Amino acid sequence: MLEILKSLLIAFFAVAVLLPVVRFALRRLSPAPHAPAVSADEAKYLQKQELKLTIAYFFFACLLAVFSSGSLALLASIIHASKEQLYVLTPNFRALFAPGLLLGLTLAVLPLRLVQSALLGHDYDLYKSYMSSVEGHRSNRIYNVLLALMLVISGLVAWYAMRWHVTINEQQVKISNLLLEQRSYQMQDIQTIHFLGEEGAYLITFNDQTTVNTSYLKPVPLEMIALLSQQSGQRVIR
């Protein structure tokens, strides 16, 4: 949980830092010399209104990040489901939170656009004029291009993240990485099995020093750990 909160804070900080940079770039790319002038008092007021939109964006981003991470974890388990293997371990919510967060930050723009006029009320037209003077008259088009680009990038990151999985049968452990490159190990290749202090969290080390941290995988039943221990002859180290 602490790790997830830390990721959220880092992401929000990155957005808060990058937004002024993007606006400066937009102002350079598409100046708006004919935009109606906004007084200093109006600008100050609209900046407060903009803070309201920023809070709404972060709210949507949190919800969509959690939803996306859970959905990706569920989708990964469906994609790699197999009746031929005793156990199939796929990335869990924790492992997919980073791509889920990227998706959430990207998708949060869509509901924000839908509720923007409702949040601003009668100030909506004034806010559009203010944004036009700040970011330029072509900023909306550029934002649409950036949104489409981010959706593509987020989708690719999520797709590759879901490809990681581990399959286990009575004789072998197969590890497939993000590029679907497979490594196969006999049970006797297991060097150590460390219990990491929380349910379902084990660090499995093989003879070539490849490790599998089951903290980021699901499901991790005790029967599976017992099978690995029995077949490899290695006791679980606590």
Side-chain angles (χ1 to χ4, degrees):
M1 186 64 182
L2 186 62
E3 186 178 338
I4 291 173
L5 289 175
K6 191 186 298 183
S7 299
L8 282 171
L9 288 174
I10 292 172
F12 293 161
F13 177 76
V15 171
V17 170
L18 287 174
L19 189 57
V21 177
V22 172
R23 284 187 167 173
F24 177 79
L26 288 173
R27 201 180 308 170
R28 291 288 185 178
L29 289 171
S30 57
H34 304 298
V38 178
S39 68
D41 289 338
E42 286 177 332
K44 190 174 181 180
Y45 172 73
L46 288 171
Q47 285 171 359
K48 291 181 180 179
Q49 295 295 89
E50 193 172 34
L51 179 61
K52 186 192 298 183
L53 293 178
T54 303
I55 293 171
Y57 169 76
F58 286 149
F59 173 74
F60 289 131
C62 285
L63 288 182
L64 289 170
V66 172
F67 176 78
S68 298
S69 302
S71 299
L72 290 176
L74 178 62
L75 188 58
S77 62
I78 293 172
I79 290 173
H80 299 297
S82 173
K83 294 182 179 179
E84 298 175 358
Q85 306 292 336
L86 279 178
Y87 301 100
V88 179
L89 309 183
T90 55
N92 59 16
F93 178 91
R94 186 177 177 185
L96 292 171
F97 184 74
L101 177 59
L102 183 59
L103 265 176
L105 290 171
T106 304
L107 293 174
V109 175
L110 301 178
L112 181 65
R113 286 186 173 184
L114 292 176
V115 303
Q116 194 174 47
S117 59
L119 287 174
L120 295 177
H122 61 277
D123 295 322
Y124 181 60
D125 291 333
L126 181 61
Y127 178 75
K128 286 201 300 184
S129 299
Y130 169 70
M131 293 305 293
S132 179
S133 65
V134 171
E135 296 182 345
H137 61 285
R138 290 188 299 173
S139 62
N140 196 47
R141 186 185 307 170
I142 296 173
Y143 275 131
N144 288 337
V145 173
L146 288 175
L147 176 60
L149 180 62
M150 286 303 300
L151 283 172
V152 172
I153 293 173
S154 302
L156 287 174
V157 170
W159 172 249
Y160 277 99
M162 288 190 297
R163 297 172 80 171
W164 175 48
H165 66 284
V166 178
T167 59
I168 298 172
N169 58 35
E170 292 181 352
Q171 302 298 328
Q172 278 189 333
V173 177
K174 289 184 180 179
I175 305 171
S176 299
N177 64 15
L178 305 183
L179 300 176
L180 284 185
E181 297 172 344
Q182 286 193 348
R183 289 188 178 185
S184 298
Y185 298 93
Q186 299 299 317
M187 289 294 186
Q188 292 73 25
D189 294 331
I190 295 176
Q191 191 175 62
T192 57
I193 304 172
H194 285 268
F195 178 60
L196 299 179
E198 58 183 79
E199 185 179 354
Y202 297 86
L203 185 66
I204 303 167
T205 306
F206 296 90
N207 288 337
D208 63 355
Q209 300 308 305
T210 296
T211 59
V212 174
N213 189 341
T214 63
S215 302
Y216 298 96
L217 294 166
K218 65 173 179 66
V220 186
L222 288 175
E223 294 83 359
M224 185 197 78
I225 300 300
L227 173 67
L228 294 177
S229 178
Q230 179 182 346
Q231 295 294 90
S232 65
Q234 302 292 337
R235 296 183 61 184
V236 177
I237 302 172
R238 296 180 178 272

